[in-house]
Amino acid sequence: MTNSSEQDFESEPVSDSADVPEPATPRSAATGVTGIGIGAIAQEIGLTKDTLRVWERRYGFPQPMRSSGGERLYPQEQVTKLRLVKRLLDAGHRPSKVLGQSIDMLQQLAESSGVGQDAPDAELDHLISLLRASAFDEFRFGLLKRATRDGLERFVLDVAAPLAARVGNAWAAGTLQVYHEHLFSEAIQSTLRTLLRPLTDAVRGRGGRPRVLLTTLSGEGHGLGLLMAEAMFTLSECECVQLGLQTPLHDIVEAVSAHNIDIVALSFTAVLPAQSIANGLAELRNLLPPHVRVWAGGSSPALRRKFNEGVDCIAGLAPIDETVADWRQNTVL
Ligand code: B12
């Protein structure tokens, strides 16, 4: 992946966040103020609280109201605009270019730069319409049919991955709810596990190297990318140890030693702030023996940065096979 500074907004100087006098912010009457607090909004959007405060001072947006106790409260329309701003920044636009724009202008910018746009695919549209109609059995059947017809690799690359992006776009556009995302996750997980099980059994016992441990770091609650990566690693005849979501660093280190792991594979969406990702990766790298590699994947723009020696970012699922082949070629077993 390329090293870029697109996510500099995360590392802008933020020392002023707590101590500098607050700017003139719309203050509401002491009672009847509704809005979302800064901690909740930062977590939902994938920014730090400091970044929100710096934007407020530097760009005049967001402009939260204040509770009677002086806490920042963000009204719904500012939350909607912040979500759009974050997606544009994730796509490489700069804060100074987007924060001052109206929501209509931002929507036009998103459309013209393809942010949140789905590539045309009638079969995937049909699956989404089943999910939207809560036709869950039909949705699962549709997935299983595609998976058995096309095979695991094609299912992962052509259905599961683009469908996840579609579901995310539909959620952001307000046409699917969070419970649809949960239903979607359940169906994808059970389909992938059904297909993976016999393959995993066949690979296990053959001593397939590298041995790959898969997990996410604290705060990253998305696991579908990890499961898709597990499918691709297994197809490349690696033995996988799937730890699931949010494993504390010291437990990762213990599992690496207990299972004689060669590679720790981590997945990151854009929910975790870039700085948390950089800190987590650096800390994990320090805790692991030097011969164990860390491979990071997922849509987080933070992965465009350059990391320490021994941390590699993999741009998507398709390159897994080649990256594993390189590892085998360059590793003396
Ligand atoms: C399903 C889903 C959920 C489920 C997760 C269930 C589960 N067990 O995983 C639930 C409902 C719990 C959920 C919750 C939330 N979600 Co959500 N979710 C999704 C969705 C639809 C798919 C998630 C996913 O697993 N993606 C990961 C994979 C599939 O995609 P990827 O990161 O692009 O990675 C690709 C490759 O890089 C590669 N890859 C991934 N990992 C790895 C690892 C390695 C080693 C390799 C080689 C490759 C690789 O595989 C993928 C295939 O294309 C996405 C939409 C999307 N576009 O991803 C939103 C999305 C990630 N969620 C989002 C948000 C905002 C949230 C919530 C904050 C609010 C909410 N929607 O409820 C919470 C936060 C939870 C948390 N603390 O992390 C946003 C994040 C936006 C942002 N900028 O921060 C997204 C993008 C939706 C959107 N369009 O806005 N979510």
Side-chain angles (χ1 to χ4, degrees):
M1 274 198 167
T2 53
N3 180 16
S4 94
S5 58
E6 277 128 313
Q7 289 289 293
D8 280 353
F9 65 91
E10 291 289 5
S11 52
E12 282 172 329
V14 289
S15 54
D16 56 345
S17 57
D19 312 326
V20 162
E22 295 288 348
T25 317
R27 270 174 200 273
S28 63
T31 54
V33 175
T34 55
I36 305 173
I38 190 165
I41 204 67
Q43 194 183 3
E44 173 181 331
I45 296 186
L47 296 162
T48 64
K49 290 194 258 184
D50 283 342
T51 298
L52 285 170
R53 295 187 192 110
V54 169
W55 284 356
E56 182 182 323
R57 179 177 56 77
R58 195 171 291 172
Y59 304 109
F61 179 82
Q63 281 279 294
M65 301 177 298
R66 297 291 175 145
S67 69
S68 51
E71 305 284 320
R72 287 173 170 79
L73 286 176
Y74 297 81
Q76 189 53 50
E77 66 274 12
Q78 293 193 27
V79 176
T80 307
K81 182 170 163 186
L82 274 171
R83 273 198 201 126
L84 191 52
V85 163
K86 176 66 165 49
R87 302 187 84 198
L88 288 162
L89 298 180
D90 289 347
H93 294 276
R94 300 207 58 85
S96 54
K97 293 280 181 297
V98 295
L99 278 155
Q101 307 276 2
S102 70
I103 194 147
D104 286 347
M105 288 300 290
L106 293 180
Q107 260 147 4
Q108 279 178 29
L109 187 59
E111 265 171 48
S112 62
S113 44
V115 172
Q117 311 292 307
D118 301 320
D121 185 319
E123 272 198 66
L124 296 186
D125 286 343
H126 177 62
L127 286 168
I128 292 284
S129 66
L130 291 176
L131 192 61
R132 190 174 289 126
S134 295
F136 191 50
D137 289 341
E138 277 187 67
F139 178 68
R140 282 176 68 143
F141 178 72
L143 290 184
L144 199 56
K145 195 171 83 177
R146 250 327 262 276
T148 23
R149 192 187 76 196
D150 298 356
L152 181 58
E153 181 175 8
R154 293 274 39 104
F155 177 73
V156 166
L157 297 177
D158 301 344
V159 181
L163 207 52
R166 262 176 154 72
V167 170
N169 289 341
W171 171 78
T175 60
L176 286 181
Q177 306 302 314
V178 169
Y179 80 88
H180 290 117
E181 284 189 319
H182 282 281
L183 288 175
F184 164 74
S185 306
E186 281 306 308
I188 287 286
Q189 278 164 0
S190 82
T191 311
L192 281 176
R193 292 216 179 285
T194 304
L195 265 78
L196 247 177
R197 201 166 300 119
L199 194 67
T200 306
D201 290 346
V203 168
R204 193 158 286 149
R206 295 176 73 228
R209 300 282 292 271
R211 261 190 286 279
V212 182
L213 179 140
L214 299 107
T215 189
T216 67
L217 300 188
S218 293
E220 178 55 81
H222 296 93
L224 301 183
L226 209 58
L227 189 56
M228 294 179 207
E230 180 185 349
M232 301 302 282
F233 279 116
T234 310
L235 284 164
S236 300
E237 300 179 41
C238 305
E239 213 172 286
C240 291
V241 176
Q242 174 66 262
L243 291 190
L245 298 171
Q246 311 203 46
T247 311
L249 297 183
H250 282 92
D251 295 317
I252 297 179
V253 175
E254 284 189 16
V256 161
S257 149
H259 292 269
N260 197 11
I261 292 295
D262 302 302
I263 288 157
V264 175
L266 301 167
S267 178
F268 297 98
T269 64
V271 245
L272 268 189
Q275 202 52 52
S276 315
I277 296 180
N279 294 345
L281 284 171
E283 210 180 322
L284 179 63
R285 185 57 277 166
N286 281 338
L287 292 170
L288 289 171
H291 71 275
V292 177
R293 311 290 302 180
V294 177
W295 290 358
S299 52
S300 171
L303 300 185
R304 294 181 201 138
R305 287 180 180 188
K306 180 110 186 79
F307 291 105
N308 297 2
E309 179 65 20
V311 176
D312 299 309
C313 297
I314 304 186
L317 297 164
I320 286 180
D321 197 43
E322 201 184 315
T323 316
V324 166
D326 286 348
W327 182 91
R328 286 187 178 128
Q329 204 164 25
N330 297 320
T331 308
V332 183
L333 291 173

